Amino acid sequence: MNIKKIKEVCDLRPQKREAKLKLSDEALVSFVPMNNLGILSKNLNLYQEKKLKDVYKGYVYFAENDILLAKITPCFENGKLGIARNLKNGIGFGSSEYIVLRSKGEIDPEYLFYFLSQEKFRAEGRQVLSGAVGQQRVPNEFVENYLVPVPPIEEQKRIVEILDKAFEGIAQAEANTRRNLINARELFDSYIARVFSCKKDNWLETTLGDSCFFFNGKAHEKNIDKYGKFIVVNSKFISSNGSIEKRTNFDLFPLLINDIVMVMSDVPKGKALGKCYLIEQNNKYSLNQRICAIRSNKFNSLFLYYQLNRNYYFLKFDNQENQTNLRKDDILKCPLYLPPIDEQKEIASDLTQFKENGLVLETIYQRKLEAIAELKQSILEKAFTGQLSQ
């Protein structure tokens, strides 16, 4: 079997003047931004068309059966790769962050697609990324000089046929597993929504202001002492349940175990507003600005935590401002259900057990996805080392 550099079997920079020779400036062509390039998917998402004159400058040109490979991080590492097919008028333009590979005839585009889908190729590419952090790219020279096995074209097509068949079955298994993973993640949300949407006769209706104590956070000093007394609870901390920041201010409000802290500003938008965190240790945390603390002697803290995290009052809150902010009065008006304390404890315990069971399911399905990914790479490795049989 011949081993050749990719540049020996492919042109890597097709000249865009080809498009001008084939089409008028007013002719429509397919437009494929980076978001439309799939991850290790043969097919491109072709739902955008633009006039040739509008994309000729500033975008990369490609045509039918050319391979598009993302060169910028993290798209390269994620495996953004595809084959241009069914293009409008046979012509496409897209992101300047594409490397375009066009077979010279000795290598089948689908065979090369599968070859470039190997984790081995991406792992070696990661080692040579260059450029500023966040804008690193795999060098064209790395791709041009990468060695690819080039058997006779008939053998390439045989390998593609076997891989197509194998990956078709794997794709179905992967889709089913991803669907099960999504269902597992949504199961707890569905369950907790049912719990708090079915008010029982013995549940009192109250508001947060009538049943809880409210404490507001404040901005902290910029000076940080390495022996900081408190971990500052901010929106990032609550969103991640663990990203912490230590600062010193001995006059800060110390939080107590079972206090509930809540984000009062929607930053980033749609991610954190109304999200809560349950404090697990006395005198370890303090509040930052736009974070409030809620304390109650009428509620089981875990029950209240679950109810607040599921409360549609906060999930749908919108004050019609560009940045949604909860004010103290807004929070105090939040409606709550107040069951007998024993029932609160029982519900909180059931919800915790249900949540833990869901996390077990998520872990199982995540491991299945990892096993599927490993299987795909194993098959690809065999395909390009001569170990793949019919």
Side-chain angles (χ1 to χ4, degrees), residues 97-175:
E97 301 294 351
Y98 293 153
I99 293 176
V100 180
L101 300 95
R102 176 175 295 175
S103 172
K104 295 178 180 179
E106 191 177 353
I107 193 165
D108 182 85
E110 294 192 61
Y111 174 87
L112 182 58
F113 165 84
Y114 278 124
F115 179 80
L116 296 175
S117 297
Q118 296 180 96
E119 172 57 30
K120 175 177 179 289
F121 170 72
R122 296 197 299 282
E124 292 179 20
R126 280 194 289 270
Q127 300 304 311
V128 296
L129 290 172
S130 61
V133 175
Q135 290 289 313
Q136 291 187 313
R137 296 168 177 82
V138 63
N140 287 357
E141 294 75 16
F142 167 78
V143 179
E144 291 175 342
N145 294 307
Y146 201 82
L147 297 176
V148 55
V150 187
I153 199 74
E154 295 78 10
E155 175 65 9
Q156 294 179 41
K157 291 183 179 298
R158 186 189 74 85
I159 291 173
V160 167
E161 184 178 351
I162 295 173
L163 290 174
D164 280 346
K165 188 177 297 184
F167 277 68
E168 182 180 355
I170 291 174
Q172 185 59 55
E174 184 176 20

XYZ file of all heavy atoms in Angstrom, residues 97-175:
643
model
N -12.037 29.906 8.244
C -11.336 28.966 9.123
C -11.431 27.526 8.612
O -11.156 26.588 9.349
C -11.899 29.051 10.548
C -11.803 30.421 11.187
C -10.360 30.856 11.425
O -9.451 30.020 11.246
O -10.153 32.026 11.781
N -11.833 27.340 7.349
C -11.847 26.013 6.747
C -10.554 25.760 5.989
O -10.014 26.657 5.324
C -12.992 25.863 5.741
C -14.391 25.892 6.313
C -15.465 26.327 5.538
C -14.652 25.480 7.617
C -16.754 26.361 6.036
C -15.943 25.513 8.118
C -16.986 25.951 7.328
O -18.262 25.983 7.819
N -10.086 24.529 6.064
C -9.114 24.017 5.096
C -9.917 23.186 4.106
O -10.672 22.296 4.508
C -8.034 23.160 5.775
C -7.168 24.023 6.688
C -7.167 22.460 4.727
C -6.118 23.240 7.474
N -9.770 23.494 2.833
C -10.512 22.781 1.790
C -9.573 21.785 1.109
O -8.479 22.148 0.661
C -11.095 23.754 0.750
C -11.852 22.993 -0.330
C -12.016 24.771 1.436
N -10.015 20.522 1.060
C -9.210 19.483 0.427
C -9.978 18.947 -0.773
O -11.119 18.496 -0.638
C -8.915 18.350 1.408
C -8.144 18.718 2.670
C -9.099 18.992 3.817
C -7.180 17.614 3.058
N -9.337 18.979 -1.938
C -9.967 18.480 -3.163
C -9.127 17.346 -3.741
O -7.938 17.514 -4.040
C -10.090 19.593 -4.197
C -10.657 19.109 -5.542
C -10.880 20.262 -6.490
N -11.905 21.163 -5.971
C -12.236 22.309 -6.558
N -11.622 22.689 -7.680
N -13.183 23.073 -6.038
N -9.743 16.181 -3.868
C -9.028 15.025 -4.399
C -8.548 15.277 -5.826
O -9.266 15.833 -6.649
C -9.951 13.801 -4.383
O -9.349 12.717 -5.058
N -7.327 14.835 -6.103
C -6.783 14.907 -7.459
C -7.201 13.696 -8.290
O -6.877 13.617 -9.476
C -5.260 14.989 -7.410
C -4.720 16.259 -6.770
C -3.198 16.235 -6.729
C -2.628 17.496 -6.091
N -1.145 17.484 -6.030
N -7.922 12.772 -7.661
C -8.421 11.606 -8.372
C -7.897 10.291 -7.840
O -8.489 9.232 -8.064
N -6.793 10.357 -7.104
C -6.183 9.133 -6.605
C -6.780 8.676 -5.279
O -6.593 7.533 -4.864
C -4.674 9.359 -6.443
C -3.884 8.102 -6.172
C -2.395 8.359 -6.089
O -1.962 9.502 -6.364
O -1.652 7.410 -5.736
N -7.505 9.595 -4.605
C -8.090 9.254 -3.308
C -9.575 9.589 -3.310
O -9.999 10.630 -3.838
C -7.359 9.995 -2.168
C -7.743 9.396 -0.810
C -7.634 11.495 -2.197
C -6.826 9.815 0.323
N -10.370 8.673 -2.777
C -11.818 8.857 -2.717
C -12.152 9.829 -1.584
O -11.645 9.677 -0.458
C -12.483 7.506 -2.450
C -13.995 7.605 -2.412
O -14.608 7.543 -3.484
O -14.545 7.770 -1.302
N -12.977 10.844 -1.835
C -13.297 11.822 -0.784
C -13.864 11.189 0.485
O -13.533 11.620 1.597
C -14.317 12.747 -1.453
C -14.010 12.645 -2.908
C -13.585 11.219 -3.123
N -14.705 10.174 0.347
C -15.285 9.541 1.530
C -14.240 8.763 2.310
O -14.251 8.736 3.547
C -16.448 8.635 1.128
C -17.627 9.387 0.547
C -18.859 8.516 0.443
O -19.326 8.036 1.486
O -19.352 8.319 -0.673
N -13.318 8.143 1.595
C -12.211 7.443 2.242
C -11.371 8.440 3.037
O -11.023 8.190 4.196
C -11.368 6.758 1.164
C -10.096 6.098 1.667
C -10.105 4.791 2.145
C -8.884 6.786 1.644
C -8.937 4.184 2.594
C -7.715 6.194 2.089
C -7.745 4.899 2.569
O -6.588 4.298 3.014
N -11.071 9.593 2.445
C -10.285 10.610 3.139
C -11.068 11.190 4.321
O -10.490 11.481 5.377
C -9.885 11.723 2.169
C -9.007 12.827 2.750
C -7.718 12.260 3.331
C -8.697 13.884 1.689
N -12.374 11.356 4.156
C -13.209 11.837 5.258
C -13.066 10.919 6.468
O -12.853 11.382 7.602
C -14.673 11.916 4.831
C -15.637 12.054 5.985
C -15.902 13.286 6.536
C -16.255 10.929 6.533
C -16.774 13.420 7.621
C -17.120 11.046 7.612
C -17.378 12.293 8.146
N -13.211 9.624 6.251
C -13.091 8.685 7.363
C -11.686 8.718 7.957
O -11.511 8.638 9.175
C -13.439 7.272 6.911
C -14.931 6.979 6.878
C -15.558 6.521 5.721
C -15.708 7.132 8.030
C -16.919 6.247 5.702
C -17.071 6.857 8.019
C -17.671 6.414 6.847
O -19.024 6.140 6.838
N -10.684 8.843 7.106
C -9.310 8.896 7.602
C -9.115 10.094 8.527
O -8.518 9.987 9.597
C -8.330 8.966 6.426
C -6.892 9.057 6.854
C -6.209 7.914 7.236
C -6.233 10.276 6.888
C -4.879 7.989 7.665
C -4.914 10.361 7.306
C -4.229 9.211 7.692
N -9.632 11.255 8.131
C -9.482 12.473 8.933
C -10.374 12.459 10.175
O -10.211 13.317 11.055
C -9.810 13.703 8.082
C -8.877 13.955 6.885
C -9.382 15.135 6.062
C -7.445 14.205 7.352
N -11.298 11.508 10.248
C -12.187 11.398 11.408
C -11.509 10.706 12.583
O -12.090 10.630 13.674
C -13.460 10.617 11.040
O -14.210 11.296 10.059
N -10.312 10.231 12.401
C -9.617 9.517 13.469
C -9.158 10.461 14.576
O -8.636 11.541 14.319
C -8.393 8.787 12.912
C -8.715 7.685 11.919
C -7.457 7.029 11.420
O -7.026 5.995 11.934
N -6.846 7.637 10.415
N -9.328 10.026 15.793
C -8.842 10.786 16.945
C -7.326 10.950 16.879
O -6.784 11.969 17.324
C -9.255 10.076 18.235
C -8.656 10.662 19.512
C -8.969 12.127 19.726
O -10.039 12.578 19.287
O -8.133 12.818 20.342
N -6.643 9.970 16.320
C -5.186 10.038 16.185
C -4.781 11.281 15.403
O -3.829 11.988 15.770
C -4.679 8.778 15.477
C -3.192 8.755 15.169
C -2.821 7.418 14.525
C -1.342 7.383 14.178
N -1.011 8.264 13.039
N -5.497 11.584 14.322
C -5.204 12.766 13.507
C -5.409 14.041 14.316
O -4.568 14.951 14.314
C -6.105 12.761 12.264
C -6.070 14.037 11.465
C -4.968 14.373 10.703
C -7.157 14.914 11.487
C -4.935 15.561 9.965
C -7.136 16.090 10.760
C -6.026 16.411 10.004
N -6.515 14.115 15.056
C -6.790 15.316 15.845
C -5.807 15.460 17.006
O -5.392 16.572 17.347
C -8.234 15.299 16.362
C -9.272 15.343 15.241
C -10.636 15.743 15.764
N -11.165 14.814 16.743
C -11.723 13.645 16.459
N -11.813 13.256 15.199
N -12.206 12.863 17.410
N -5.424 14.329 17.613
C -4.481 14.380 18.736
C -3.132 14.917 18.271
O -2.505 15.742 18.965
C -4.322 12.994 19.347
N -2.667 14.476 17.118
C -1.390 14.961 16.596
C -1.510 16.426 16.182
O -0.563 17.206 16.340
C -0.939 14.092 15.433
C -0.565 12.673 15.854
C -0.137 11.811 14.681
O 0.234 12.369 13.617
O -0.167 10.569 14.816
N -2.682 16.814 15.667
C -2.901 18.206 15.300
C -2.874 19.129 16.501
O -2.378 20.255 16.430
N -3.411 18.641 17.633
C -3.415 19.450 18.852
C -2.002 19.807 19.307
O -1.783 20.850 19.924
C -4.142 18.710 19.985
C -5.657 18.794 19.915
C -6.291 18.346 21.221
N -6.156 16.918 21.424
C -7.035 16.007 21.013
N -8.115 16.398 20.351
N -6.854 14.729 21.239
N -1.059 18.941 19.005
C 0.315 19.172 19.439
C 1.000 20.294 18.676
O 2.030 20.814 19.127
C 1.124 17.871 19.272
C 0.593 16.692 20.060
C 0.472 16.976 21.545
O 1.413 17.478 22.162
N -0.674 16.662 22.120
N 0.456 20.677 17.530
C 1.127 21.699 16.704
C 0.277 22.955 16.537
O 0.581 23.796 15.694
C 1.505 21.116 15.315
C 2.521 20.005 15.470
C 0.266 20.616 14.561
N -0.798 23.091 17.311
C -1.616 24.297 17.225
C -0.757 25.534 17.495
O 0.115 25.525 18.360
C -2.755 24.245 18.238
C -3.879 23.235 17.969
C -4.820 23.170 19.169
C -4.648 23.590 16.716
N -0.999 26.586 16.757
C -0.227 27.814 16.934
C -1.170 29.010 16.944
O -2.297 28.943 16.469
C 0.798 27.973 15.811
O 0.148 28.060 14.552
N -0.678 30.119 17.492
C -1.478 31.337 17.564
C -1.819 31.698 18.990
O -1.453 31.000 19.946
N -2.549 32.813 19.136
C -2.923 33.293 20.456
C -3.914 32.341 21.121
O -4.675 31.642 20.446
C -3.540 34.685 20.341
N -3.905 32.326 22.438
C -4.827 31.468 23.182
C -6.266 31.822 22.815
O -6.641 32.988 22.780
C -4.619 31.649 24.702
C -5.656 30.863 25.478
C -3.213 31.209 25.091
N -7.063 30.803 22.524
C -8.445 31.023 22.124
C -8.617 31.204 20.628
O -9.728 31.135 20.104
N -7.506 31.445 19.920
C -7.545 31.621 18.468
C -6.465 30.768 17.806
O -5.914 31.131 16.775
C -7.333 33.093 18.109
C -8.489 33.998 18.488
C -9.710 33.777 17.612
O -9.609 33.716 16.393
N -10.880 33.647 18.224
N -6.176 29.633 18.394
C -5.140 28.767 17.836
C -5.677 27.987 16.642
O -6.853 27.652 16.579
C -4.623 27.812 18.907
C -3.824 28.516 20.000
C -3.185 27.537 20.951
O -3.834 26.609 21.427
N -1.910 27.737 21.229
N -4.770 27.693 15.725
C -5.151 26.988 14.500
C -4.147 25.887 14.199
O -2.966 26.025 14.529
C -5.207 27.958 13.308
C -6.275 29.032 13.442
C -6.109 30.117 12.393
N -7.173 31.101 12.466
C -7.184 32.128 13.327
N -6.162 32.288 14.168
N -8.197 32.970 13.351
N -4.643 24.827 13.564
C -3.722 23.807 13.077
C -3.097 24.331 11.786
O -3.800 24.820 10.902
C -4.453 22.459 12.853
C -5.520 22.570 11.776
C -3.468 21.364 12.503
N -1.780 24.300 11.645
C -1.131 24.852 10.452
C -1.504 24.080 9.187
O -1.666 22.851 9.224
C 0.371 24.706 10.754
C 0.454 24.534 12.240
C -0.805 23.833 12.644
N -1.637 24.802 8.088
C -1.907 24.140 6.811
C -0.840 23.105 6.502
O -1.123 22.043 5.933
C -1.960 25.177 5.681
C -3.218 26.018 5.732
O -4.080 25.805 6.576
N -3.325 26.981 4.829
N 0.410 23.420 6.893
C 1.519 22.522 6.584
C 1.360 21.167 7.278
O 1.777 20.139 6.749
C 2.854 23.152 7.005
C 3.248 24.397 6.224
C 2.444 25.635 6.619
O 1.794 25.619 7.705
O 2.455 26.611 5.841
N 0.759 21.191 8.484
C 0.527 19.919 9.187
C -0.392 19.033 8.361
O -0.131 17.827 8.201
C -0.089 20.188 10.558
C -0.653 18.955 11.219
C 0.179 18.041 11.831
C -2.021 18.701 11.200
C -0.336 16.896 12.432
C -2.544 17.561 11.795
C -1.697 16.660 12.411
N -1.479 19.610 7.846
C -2.439 18.826 7.055
C -1.802 18.413 5.728
O -1.918 17.255 5.295
C -3.724 19.634 6.817
C -4.714 18.839 5.966
C -4.371 20.020 8.153
N -1.130 19.342 5.068
C -0.526 19.058 3.763
C 0.455 17.894 3.828
O 0.513 17.061 2.918
C 0.202 20.297 3.243
C -0.708 21.442 2.851
C 0.080 22.683 2.465
O 1.275 22.770 2.830
O -0.494 23.555 1.802
N 1.222 17.825 4.905
C 2.291 16.832 4.998
C 1.899 15.584 5.789
O 2.734 14.706 6.003
C 3.533 17.472 5.635
C 4.131 18.546 4.745
O 4.416 18.320 3.573
N 4.319 19.742 5.301
N 0.627 15.536 6.203
C 0.176 14.373 6.965
C 0.123 13.159 6.033
O -0.357 13.241 4.898
C -1.193 14.623 7.578
C -1.486 13.726 8.753
C -0.994 14.033 10.014
C -2.232 12.568 8.605
C -1.245 13.215 11.108
C -2.492 11.738 9.683
C -1.996 12.067 10.934
O -2.244 11.242 12.011
N 0.614 12.033 6.534
C 0.701 10.828 5.709
C -0.603 10.043 5.742
O -1.196 9.833 6.809
C 1.849 9.945 6.202
C 3.253 10.559 6.099
C 4.299 9.612 6.709
C 3.603 10.874 4.652
N -1.053 9.626 4.573
C -2.289 8.863 4.446
C -2.025 7.627 3.592
O -1.351 7.699 2.558
C -3.406 9.725 3.802
C -2.984 10.298 2.476
C -4.697 8.938 3.665
N -2.528 6.455 4.035
C -2.387 5.254 3.202
C -3.294 5.365 1.978
O -4.462 5.727 2.105
C -2.826 4.125 4.135
C -3.708 4.776 5.149
C -3.197 6.178 5.321
N -2.764 5.054 0.797
C -3.536 5.203 -0.448
C -3.535 3.876 -1.200
O -2.702 3.641 -2.091
C -2.965 6.327 -1.330
C -3.886 6.572 -2.524
C -2.783 7.611 -0.533
N -4.469 2.978 -0.830
C -4.603 1.732 -1.595
C -5.267 2.011 -2.938
O -5.706 3.143 -3.191
C -5.489 0.878 -0.693
C -6.326 1.860 0.061
C -5.455 3.072 0.248
N -5.392 1.020 -3.795
C -6.122 1.211 -5.055
C -7.530 1.741 -4.782
O -8.128 1.444 -3.745
C -6.149 -0.190 -5.667
C -4.955 -0.874 -5.082
C -4.823 -0.336 -3.686
N -8.063 2.508 -5.716
C -9.350 3.175 -5.515
C -10.465 2.175 -5.217
O -11.371 2.446 -4.425
C -9.707 4.056 -6.740
C -10.762 5.095 -6.344
C -10.116 3.222 -7.927
C -10.250 6.218 -5.505
N -10.385 0.981 -5.820
C -11.406 -0.038 -5.561
C -11.371 -0.484 -4.101
O -12.407 -0.714 -3.471
C -11.199 -1.260 -6.472
C -11.392 -0.998 -7.949
C -10.187 -0.307 -8.594
O -9.125 -0.220 -7.909
O -10.294 0.133 -9.743
N -10.162 -0.600 -3.546
C -10.027 -0.979 -2.150
C -10.535 0.140 -1.242
O -11.160 -0.112 -0.204
C -8.565 -1.302 -1.832
C -8.270 -1.608 -0.368
C -8.944 -2.872 0.144
O -9.524 -3.634 -0.653
O -8.921 -3.088 1.375
N -10.286 1.386 -1.604
C -10.801 2.514 -0.837
C -12.322 2.472 -0.766
O -12.924 2.668 0.302
C -10.354 3.835 -1.469
C -8.862 4.095 -1.420
C -8.506 5.410 -2.085
O -9.212 6.408 -1.926
N -7.405 5.425 -2.825
N -12.945 2.211 -1.924
C -14.408 2.171 -1.966
C -14.947 0.995 -1.145
O -16.015 1.097 -0.519
C -14.890 2.088 -3.419
C -14.637 3.366 -4.214
C -15.200 3.277 -5.617
C -14.962 4.558 -6.403
N -15.619 5.738 -5.788
N -14.212 -0.124 -1.131
C -14.628 -1.273 -0.315
C -14.582 -0.904 1.167
O -15.507 -1.223 1.929
C -13.711 -2.466 -0.590
C -14.150 -3.758 0.110
C -13.100 -4.851 -0.019
N -11.969 -4.584 0.857
C -11.931 -4.928 2.146
N -12.967 -5.539 2.704
N -10.863 -4.682 2.876
N -13.525 -0.222 1.579
C -13.395 0.198 2.977
C -14.510 1.172 3.347
O -15.122 1.070 4.418
C -12.011 0.825 3.212
C -10.924 -0.257 3.107
C -11.947 1.527 4.569
C -9.507 0.279 3.144
N -14.812 2.114 2.448
C -15.890 3.073 2.703
C -17.219 2.352 2.861
O -18.020 2.680 3.759
C -15.970 4.103 1.561
C -17.273 4.911 1.646
C -14.770 5.047 1.602
N -17.461 1.360 2.025
C -18.725 0.616 2.096
C -18.864 -0.095 3.440
O -19.935 -0.080 4.073
C -18.781 -0.397 0.958
C -20.100 -1.152 0.877
C -20.144 -2.129 -0.290
O -19.223 -2.093 -1.132
O -21.105 -2.925 -0.354
N -17.772 -0.704 3.909
C -17.804 -1.395 5.201
C -18.021 -0.397 6.337
O -18.826 -0.629 7.252
C -16.498 -2.184 5.416
C -16.373 -3.316 4.384
C -16.449 -2.762 6.827
C -15.037 -4.035 4.423
N -17.315 0.723 6.271
C -17.448 1.736 7.314
C -18.847 2.343 7.323
O -19.417 2.594 8.392
C -16.392 2.828 7.124
C -14.947 2.423 7.422
C -13.995 3.548 7.055
C -14.784 2.035 8.883
N -19.397 2.588 6.145
C -20.758 3.126 6.071
C -21.743 2.207 6.787
O -22.596 2.666 7.569
C -21.192 3.296 4.614
C -20.643 4.553 3.970
O -20.146 5.425 4.712
O -20.722 4.662 2.736
N -21.611 0.922 6.524
C -22.535 -0.043 7.110
C -22.350 -0.105 8.627
O -23.330 -0.119 9.392
C -22.297 -1.425 6.489
C -23.328 -2.475 6.894
C -23.059 -3.796 6.172
C -23.197 -3.650 4.672
N -23.035 -4.961 3.977
N -21.101 -0.142 9.065
C -20.829 -0.225 10.499
C -21.301 1.035 11.222
O -21.932 0.970 12.275
C -19.332 -0.445 10.730
N -21.009 2.195 10.627
C -21.344 3.451 11.292
C -22.838 3.748 11.250
O -23.341 4.495 12.085
C -20.544 4.603 10.681
C -19.161 4.732 11.251
C -18.192 3.771 11.008
C -18.836 5.802 12.063
C -16.932 3.875 11.543
C -17.579 5.929 12.605
C -16.605 4.950 12.350
N -23.549 3.164 10.303
C -24.999 3.341 10.275
C -25.631 2.720 11.517
O -26.483 3.322 12.169
C -25.584 2.705 9.008
C -27.090 2.886 8.874
C -27.642 2.243 7.609
O -26.858 1.731 6.789
O -28.878 2.245 7.448
N -25.194 1.505 11.859
C -25.716 0.852 13.056
C -25.281 1.555 14.323
O -26.063 1.715 15.267
N -24.030 2.014 14.344
C -23.518 2.720 15.506
C -24.266 4.036 15.706
O -24.577 4.432 16.838
C -22.004 2.976 15.350
C -21.243 1.652 15.438
C -21.504 3.938 16.425
C -19.760 1.778 15.148
N -24.567 4.723 14.607
C -25.275 6.008 14.696
C -26.637 5.845 15.337
O -27.071 6.694 16.140
C -25.412 6.625 13.307
N -27.324 4.751 15.028
C -28.635 4.520 15.626
C -28.513 4.258 17.120
O -29.280 4.781 17.935
C -29.317 3.326 14.942
C -30.742 3.086 15.415
C -31.643 4.287 15.171
O -31.748 4.776 14.050
N -32.281 4.767 16.232
N -27.499 3.458 17.497
C -27.270 3.181 18.916
C -26.893 4.459 19.661
O -27.345 4.699 20.789
C -26.164 2.136 19.066
N -26.088 5.297 19.015
C -25.676 6.547 19.637
C -26.859 7.496 19.813
O -27.011 8.136 20.861
C -24.588 7.211 18.791
C -24.017 8.471 19.396
C -22.873 9.039 18.577
O -22.763 8.705 17.381
O -22.086 9.821 19.137
N -27.712 7.569 18.784
C -28.885 8.436 18.865
C -29.814 7.987 19.988
O -30.348 8.821 20.750
C -29.628 8.436 17.528
